Amino acid sequence: MLLLALQTPAEAVAADARLRRLTPTPAQLAAFDKQLARLLKHLDPDKIERHGETHILDFLRETTPFLDPNEPGERYGNVNGKRDLVLHLGDTATSPVAVLIEVKGPKNRKEMLAPDDLNRKAFQQLLLYYLEDRADDRADDFRRLVVTTGFEWYIFDAQDFDVLFWKNAALRRAFRDWQQRAKGAADTAFFYERIAAPHLAAAAGTLRATRVVLAPAAALAPAALADLWRIFGPGYLLKDFPVQRADANTLNQEFYTELLYLMGLREYVAGGVRRIGRCPAGERQAGALLENILYQMDIGHDLGRLAPEALADYGPDPARQREEVALALCLMWVNRLLFLKLLEGQLLRYHPDAHAAEFRFLTLARLPEYDELNRLFFGVLNRPPAQRPPDVQAAFRALPYLNSSLFQPAPLEEQVLYIRELNDRVGLRPMAGSVLKKKGAPAVPVVPGQPEEWGALGYLLLFLDAFDFGGNGVAAGLEGLASPGVYPTPLTPLPDGEGG
């Protein structure tokens, strides 16, 4: 039997980086709250059929404006033949249909979906309309399919319908035979009872859906209200997102500049192109991540275990190869940290209570040395909780198992250097205008004997903690930089001879 795989609005938002980037202003959130209250005020829970269509359509017209300010401000939506409601990509009836909506009265529980039962008339009707529109080439721009009472919503991805239903040869054959009157009856009841219902009952697997339950007069926390704003907005319903620039400028510039400083890198303009490279000789600091790596490579972690053909990928000569390998390790470790900071931000976002401290794991108290950071990478995140030693379970009991190649030792680590081998006792001078000084963050421990320098690892962790990784904030441009198992980044080294 085909089962529903349900997710909450919060889970749907957490799973999509583009949705997380969309953060409502206070005015937008207040307006959405008012629209939601108006919808719930006008819906009648005692109605059986189609009473709510007008109110649902009014609500969606208000919540799905165009994201491009040069476009018209409202989507066109209406009844369309036997379809209860459709929502178009444009502002006219001739623009492509993006959302197909089947509406049931709140009292019609027999036909409405249930969390444990997909095979109800409401879904059978939705499936019929989808197949008809695909057969007539009217569904090319479908984004979502919805079943709703106004109070309860099941929102499906049209691409899942394509995979599970349109590409199912047996179902399509039965539908076309019925459509061409080659079955025992041609009425819709026959399709629902003799084609759709048996197919859904016999099909294996799951169908994803976001389930939204709206309750009149229920007070919503700001984070929950913001998630609903995203779900009912054009980003989720119509997959209409603002265009993001895919370069370093999409990052919070303050964050970006100081992160480069901590890594021992600088931004240059060479030939009109913005590039990243190692700091010039007179500006290098032992505590910068790149310089720490290079020093450890100099005292015993050389490139002898790398095959000549592999080394050739890092440059034409030993000096260039050495710097490029060090930079690759530096970026790999920063990628891991940024991904983990995004994870920590989401955990804190969904646990904003007295137990939130359990979900803060990138702290100096838990990670006082690079050894502990190495243990976090390879002794915690890549092991199911039951397989972690008791002391690890106690220290990181709230951390999930991340079955990702990002937390398996990379060949470059095995052949050259692990992060645990970095020097814990070197530091950096605080960057002029450091965010830690501006925001009054906790003092970074200084290096013994060097009071003008901050401990490098403590500086890095407290710097990351000074930014918001749970909402829009600095996280808005990081998904490409901190993707599990993906190491390419916007950081490209300078050509030979530039930047020292």
Side-chain angles (χ1 to χ4, degrees), residues 417-463:
L417 182 72
Y418 284 95
I419 199 168
R420 65 172 181 253
E421 293 162 300
L422 295 184
N423 187 351
D424 293 300
R425 304 187 182 199
V426 290
L428 299 94
R429 296 180 299 276
M431 189 185 82
S434 170
V435 68
L436 296 182
K437 292 185 174 181
K438 289 181 181 179
K439 296 189 175 183
V444 184
V446 299
V447 177
Q450 300 288 337
E452 75 283 359
E453 292 188 358
W454 287 347
L457 181 57
Y459 187 174
L460 176 58
L461 294 176
L462 287 172
F463 162 75

Side-chain angles (χ1 to χ4, degrees), residues 165-205:
F165 305 124
W166 186 249
K167 290 181 177 175
N168 184 293
L171 175 62
R172 281 177 63 185
R173 188 181 311 111
F175 161 71
R176 285 176 172 166
D177 286 347
W178 169 82
Q179 197 177 39
Q180 295 168 7
R181 299 179 178 273
K183 290 288 187 180
D187 59 340
T188 55
F190 183 91
F191 176 83
Y192 302 148
E193 296 168 9
R194 304 300 296 273
I195 298 176
H199 173 80
L200 295 172

